[in-house]
Amino acid sequence: MATVNKNLSSYDKATIPNANGLRFGIVVSEWNSEITEGLFSGAFNALIDCGAQESDIIRWNVPGSFELTFGSKKMINMHKVDAVIAIGSVIQGETKHFDFVCDATAQGIKDLNITTNVPVIFCVLTDNNMQQAIERSGGKHGNKGTEAAIAAIKMAVLGN
Ligand code: INI
Protein backbone atom coordinates (compact mmCIF):
# COMPACT_ATOMS: atom_id res chain seq x y z
CA MET A 1 0.00 0.00 0.00
CA ALA A 2 1.12 3.53 -0.66
CA THR A 3 2.61 4.48 2.69
CA VAL A 4 5.61 5.87 0.82
CA ASN A 5 3.52 8.84 -0.33
CA LYS A 6 1.94 9.54 3.04
CA ASN A 7 3.43 10.12 6.47
CA LEU A 8 1.23 8.18 8.88
CA SER A 9 1.85 10.69 11.67
CA SER A 10 0.77 13.84 9.88
CA TYR A 11 -2.55 15.45 10.78
CA ASP A 12 -3.90 18.97 10.87
CA LYS A 13 -5.21 19.48 14.39
CA ALA A 14 -7.46 22.31 13.22
CA THR A 15 -9.50 19.81 11.23
CA ILE A 16 -9.79 17.14 13.97
CA PRO A 17 -12.78 17.19 16.37
CA ASN A 18 -11.91 17.86 20.03
CA ALA A 19 -11.62 14.52 21.81
CA ASN A 20 -12.26 15.90 25.30
CA GLY A 21 -14.98 13.80 26.97
CA LEU A 22 -14.68 10.91 24.51
CA ARG A 23 -13.73 7.48 25.87
CA PHE A 24 -11.36 5.17 24.02
CA GLY A 25 -10.37 1.53 24.42
CA ILE A 26 -6.97 0.49 23.12
CA VAL A 27 -6.34 -3.24 22.73
CA VAL A 28 -2.68 -4.09 22.19
CA SER A 29 -1.25 -7.37 20.86
CA GLU A 30 1.87 -8.60 22.69
CA TRP A 31 3.32 -10.22 19.55
CA ASN A 32 6.19 -8.09 18.15
CA SER A 33 5.81 -5.88 21.21
CA GLU A 34 8.69 -3.60 20.18
CA ILE A 35 6.43 -2.60 17.28
CA THR A 36 3.07 -2.61 19.06
CA GLU A 37 4.41 -0.48 21.93
CA GLY A 38 5.48 2.12 19.35
CA LEU A 39 2.02 2.00 17.80
CA PHE A 40 0.42 2.36 21.23
CA SER A 41 2.56 5.45 22.01
CA GLY A 42 1.62 7.00 18.68
CA ALA A 43 -2.08 6.42 19.32
CA PHE A 44 -2.06 7.47 22.96
CA ASN A 45 -0.08 10.67 22.35
CA ALA A 46 -2.32 11.71 19.44
CA LEU A 47 -5.50 11.17 21.51
CA ILE A 48 -4.08 13.33 24.31
CA ASP A 49 -2.87 15.95 21.81
CA CYS A 50 -6.41 16.16 20.43
CA GLY A 51 -7.98 16.72 23.85
CA ALA A 52 -8.71 13.26 25.28
CA GLN A 53 -8.18 12.76 29.03
CA GLU A 54 -5.77 10.05 30.17
CA SER A 55 -8.47 8.71 32.52
CA ASP A 56 -10.75 8.20 29.49
CA ILE A 57 -8.29 5.84 27.77
CA ILE A 58 -8.48 2.16 28.78
CA ARG A 59 -5.68 -0.17 27.67
CA TRP A 60 -5.84 -3.95 27.55
CA ASN A 61 -3.21 -6.39 26.26
CA VAL A 62 -3.99 -9.58 24.32
CA PRO A 63 -1.51 -12.34 23.36
CA GLY A 64 -1.56 -11.88 19.56
CA SER A 65 -3.33 -10.11 16.72
CA PHE A 66 -5.73 -13.04 16.35
CA GLU A 67 -7.07 -12.19 19.83
CA LEU A 68 -7.75 -8.52 18.97
CA THR A 69 -11.29 -9.31 17.86
CA PHE A 70 -12.30 -10.92 21.14
CA GLY A 71 -10.45 -8.27 23.15
CA SER A 72 -12.18 -5.46 21.28
CA LYS A 73 -15.58 -7.13 21.62
CA LYS A 74 -15.14 -7.56 25.37
CA MET A 75 -13.90 -3.97 25.70
CA ILE A 76 -17.11 -2.76 24.01
CA ASN A 77 -19.27 -4.96 26.23
CA MET A 78 -17.58 -4.00 29.51
CA HIS A 79 -16.82 -0.31 29.04
CA LYS A 80 -18.79 2.58 27.66
CA VAL A 81 -16.22 3.50 25.03
CA ASP A 82 -16.85 5.68 21.97
CA ALA A 83 -14.23 3.89 19.85
CA VAL A 84 -11.71 1.05 20.11
CA ILE A 85 -8.26 0.97 18.55
CA ALA A 86 -7.01 -2.57 17.86
CA ILE A 87 -3.21 -2.61 17.66
CA GLY A 88 -1.15 -5.46 16.22
CA SER A 89 1.87 -6.30 14.10
CA VAL A 90 2.00 -9.39 11.91
CA ILE A 91 5.25 -10.11 10.10
CA GLN A 92 5.58 -12.53 7.21
CA GLY A 93 7.27 -15.83 8.04
CA GLU A 94 8.03 -18.93 6.01
CA THR A 95 4.59 -20.52 6.33
CA LYS A 96 1.00 -19.56 5.57
CA HIS A 97 0.37 -18.68 9.22
CA PHE A 98 0.80 -14.98 8.34
CA ASP A 99 -2.09 -15.11 5.88
CA PHE A 100 -4.43 -16.85 8.30
CA VAL A 101 -3.66 -14.42 11.14
CA CYS A 102 -3.99 -11.36 8.87
CA ASP A 103 -7.23 -12.57 7.29
CA ALA A 104 -8.85 -13.59 10.57
CA THR A 105 -7.86 -10.35 12.29
CA ALA A 106 -9.10 -8.12 9.48
CA GLN A 107 -12.34 -10.09 9.09
CA GLY A 108 -12.93 -10.19 12.85
CA ILE A 109 -12.51 -6.45 13.24
CA LYS A 110 -14.64 -5.83 10.17
CA ASP A 111 -17.36 -8.03 11.68
CA LEU A 112 -17.34 -5.96 14.88
CA ASN A 113 -17.82 -2.81 12.84
CA ILE A 114 -20.90 -4.39 11.28
CA THR A 115 -22.41 -5.95 14.39
CA THR A 116 -21.75 -3.38 17.14
CA ASN A 117 -22.35 0.35 17.32
CA VAL A 118 -18.82 1.16 18.44
CA PRO A 119 -16.22 1.75 15.72
CA VAL A 120 -13.15 -0.49 15.93
CA ILE A 121 -10.10 0.93 14.19
CA PHE A 122 -7.75 -1.42 12.34
CA CYS A 123 -4.27 -0.50 13.56
CA VAL A 124 -2.61 -3.75 12.48
CA LEU A 125 0.62 -3.63 10.50
CA THR A 126 0.99 -6.54 8.08
CA ASP A 127 4.58 -6.33 6.88
CA ASN A 128 7.00 -8.43 4.86
CA ASN A 129 9.79 -7.89 7.38
CA MET A 130 10.74 -6.19 10.66
CA GLN A 131 12.29 -3.20 8.88
CA GLN A 132 8.96 -2.30 7.25
CA ALA A 133 7.26 -2.56 10.64
CA ILE A 134 9.86 -0.29 12.27
CA GLU A 135 9.40 2.30 9.52
CA ARG A 136 5.62 2.43 10.18
CA SER A 137 5.57 2.40 14.00
CA GLY A 138 7.45 5.65 14.57
CA GLY A 139 10.08 5.43 11.81
CA LYS A 140 10.56 7.12 8.47
CA HIS A 141 6.96 6.57 7.34
CA GLY A 142 5.54 7.87 10.61
CA ASN A 143 3.35 5.97 13.03
CA LYS A 144 0.22 4.03 12.12
CA GLY A 145 -0.89 4.40 15.74
CA THR A 146 -1.21 8.15 15.20
CA GLU A 147 -3.25 7.63 12.05
CA ALA A 148 -5.48 5.17 13.95
CA ALA A 149 -6.09 7.65 16.79
CA ILE A 150 -7.22 10.32 14.34
CA ALA A 151 -9.53 7.80 12.66
CA ALA A 152 -10.90 6.79 16.10
CA ILE A 153 -11.75 10.41 17.00
CA LYS A 154 -13.42 11.03 13.66
CA MET A 155 -15.45 7.82 13.87
CA ALA A 156 -16.41 8.39 17.52
CA VAL A 157 -18.20 11.65 16.60
CA LEU A 158 -19.51 10.55 13.20
CA GLY A 159 -23.00 11.95 12.67
CA ASN A 160 -22.89 14.16 15.79
N1 INI B 1 0.50 -12.82 16.07
C1 INI B 1 0.85 -11.55 15.76
O1 INI B 1 0.23 -10.60 16.26
N2 INI B 1 1.89 -11.32 14.91
C2 INI B 1 2.58 -12.33 14.34
O2 INI B 1 3.53 -12.02 13.55
C3 INI B 1 2.23 -13.67 14.63
N3 INI B 1 2.96 -14.77 14.05
O3 INI B 1 3.90 -14.53 13.27
O4 INI B 1 2.67 -15.93 14.30
C4 INI B 1 1.15 -13.89 15.54
N4 INI B 1 0.77 -15.15 15.86
C5 INI B 1 -0.02 -15.44 17.04
C6 INI B 1 -1.54 -15.34 16.81
O5 INI B 1 -1.94 -13.99 16.63
C7 INI B 1 -2.31 -15.89 18.00
O6 INI B 1 -1.94 -15.20 19.17
C8 INI B 1 -2.05 -17.39 18.25
O7 INI B 1 -2.28 -18.14 17.06
C9 INI B 1 -2.99 -17.93 19.37
O8 INI B 1 -4.35 -17.83 18.96
Side-chain angles (χ1 to χ4, degrees), residues 29-32 36 62-68 87-93 97-98 101 105 124-125:
S29 162
E30 292 170 342
W31 254 85
N32 301 318
T36 58
V62 294
S65 292
F66 188 86
E67 285 73 39
L68 287 171
I87 291 179
S89 163
V90 197
I91 298 178
Q92 179 99 57
H97 193 67
F98 173 87
V101 173
T105 306
V124 181
L125 291 175

